[in-house]
Amino acid sequence: MLTAALALALTATASAGYGDVDEDGYPTWAERSVHLWTNAARVDPEGFADEYPQAYEPCRFEDFTADEKTPKAPIYYDRNLNNAARFHSQDMVDNNWFAHESSDGTPFAERLARFYDSGFVGENIAYGYPSTYSAMFHGWMCSDGHRANIMTAGWTELGTGVVNTHYTQDFGGGAADSDGAVAMGVHEPGTATDSAEFLADWQDDDAPSYLVVVIDGEPSALSLAYGVAGQGIYAAEVEVAPSDCHTYYFAWETTEGTLGTFPETGSYTYGVSCDDPHGWVDGQSGELGGGGGSGLGSGSGSGSGGAPGDGNLDTSDIRLIGCVTVPAGSAPLGLLAIAGLAALARRRD
């Protein structure tokens, strides 16, 4: 059964623009949320210091290694890694399983190799956390091996898989599918109707000339919430007129005049009765010009970062495991320690 499911998963990836949701629903809102919070932790690990003591096993930012305290660049989205991560989360749900090996015993590195052709890969998994934010900051970032995986400088690509409360992060070191200034963007919470917070990462030599979220055709400026101007997370809380379904995408211009949007060609949706089950529509509404257009100034983003509330974290059944693998002779400094802390290391032939 697993072999048949794997064959189906390997054919699921369809051609789409960067960040676009394909016909099979890659990526979901939850998968984008895990990705965004992963990049938030990377660009500003100290910015979440107040969150770490709330974890099921209390930890402190002061106890992070020097490298884990050092900000890292955001990681780009990869659809193949998304496919691999979702496949593994689904396998764990379907087979009451929790391990890096697939339920049929396939090693994690062999499984990833069927989806992704870079030999430098790593994986974190978690189970039982009530939200994407909690899995990141109350789970992985408060566990030595997982945190080391997340904060590894060599990652260039990421795919996440979320099925129920099973979470998988699959990291890769291959050539990224984009060189745009925005690697990931999302709205929070996923259940938002009219009011929501919109977050996007940014990486460039300078702050954006403008960075906006375009909701139902109307742009609203984002402001720096975490990190620094040229490498950070920008956010804005926006309240829009009541509607059954809203569309949005992010648009930007660099100081050198490079324009871009995320997702590349379409728009994400949120609300109470959106038609597409994957939260997606083709096309992008609204017209944007550089600099001084309506809503394109410095804006009034909240700068709060918008950590979703988790209430009282139920610690009775939460689990996590992390591991990493690299080809022989290519491990970056500290990677062997990462693998040891995370539980196991495997090498590809």
Side-chain angles (χ1 to χ4, degrees):
M1 292 297 294
L2 187 62
T3 301
L6 179 60
L8 180 62
L10 289 170
T11 62
T13 300
S15 176
Y18 181 77
D20 291 356
V21 178
D22 67 22
E23 61 185 8
D24 296 296
Y26 294 88
T28 64
W29 169 85
E31 290 161 351
R32 289 189 290 120
S33 181
V34 171
H35 194 136
L36 186 284
W37 291 121
T38 301
N39 283 345
R42 284 175 62 88
V43 302
D44 193 0
E46 187 173 6
F48 298 89
D50 290 343
E51 287 296 299
Y52 304 133
Q54 300 176 27
Y56 75 104
E57 290 183 359
C59 63
R60 303 182 307 159
F61 177 75
E62 290 78 9
D63 297 330
F64 289 15
T65 67
D67 185 65
E68 291 166 356
K69 293 179 180 178
T70 303
K72 307 296 192 304
I75 314 172
Y76 286 99
Y77 169 75
D78 182 78
R79 195 174 303 273
N80 293 321
L81 287 173
N82 182 186
N83 198 349
R86 172 104 58 92
F87 174 82
H88 190 53
S89 289
Q90 188 67 61
D91 177 35
M92 290 191 290
V93 169
D94 290 345
N95 293 284
N96 192 26
W97 184 255
F98 189 74
H100 284 292
E101 294 84 356
S102 297
S103 61
D104 68 350
T106 302
F108 106 95
E110 182 179 331
R111 167 172 46 83
L112 261 66
R114 296 173 180 174
F115 294 89
Y116 186 72
D117 60 5
S118 170
F120 179 25
V121 295
E123 179 171 273
N124 287 339
I125 60 175
Y127 167 77
Y129 290 89
S131 71
T132 57
Y133 184 90
S134 184
M136 264 300 305
F137 295 105
H138 302 154
W140 288 323
M141 284 300 287
C142 233
S143 172
D144 293 346
H146 305 86
R147 181 172 64 245
N149 259 352
I150 290 166
M151 297 304 295
T152 294
W155 303 134
T156 54
E157 299 185 284
L158 173 65
T160 64
V162 182
V163 180
N164 299 340
T165 59
H166 284 75
Y167 304 87
T168 302
Q169 290 173 309
D170 281 335
F171 301 91
D177 293 334
S178 172
D179 60 359
V182 172
M184 182 53 61
V186 74
H187 71 279
E188 294 282 359
T191 56
T193 54
D194 300 323
S195 298
E197 181 162 43
F198 298 85
L199 305 103
D201 54 40
W202 179 263
Q203 51 185 320
D204 192 50
D205 292 335
D206 302 297
S209 176
Y210 69 78
L211 174 58
V212 300
V213 57
V214 184
I215 310 168
D216 299 336
E218 295 295 326
S220 295
L222 277 65
S223 296
L224 184 65
Y226 297 108
V228 296
Q231 183 175 284
I233 303 295
Y234 285 73
E237 290 187 12
V238 183
E239 183 170 353
V240 295
S243 173
D244 290 341
C245 187
H246 304 282
T247 66
Y248 74 95
Y249 62 95
F250 300 89
W252 73 85
E253 181 179 15
T254 68
T255 55
E256 295 183 347
T258 301
L259 302 171
T261 63
F262 179 86
E264 188 174 346
T265 69
S267 303
Y268 301 127
T269 65
Y270 72 99
V272 295
S273 59
C274 297
D275 291 334
D276 188 275
H278 304 313
W280 176 257
V281 295
D282 293 328
Q284 296 175 339
S285 61
E287 295 183 4
L288 300 176
S294 173
L296 301 182
S298 61
S300 57
S302 68
S304 67
D310 290 310
N312 295 320
L313 180 61
D314 180 2
T315 64
S316 60
D317 189 16
I318 51 179
R319 291 171 280 167
L320 47 158
I321 308 175
C323 62
V324 65
T325 183
V326 296
S330 64
L333 182 64
L335 196 54
L336 295 181
I338 291 171
L341 286 169
L344 66 111
R346 299 189 182 275
R347 296 182 182 275
R348 286 176 54 189
D349 295 330

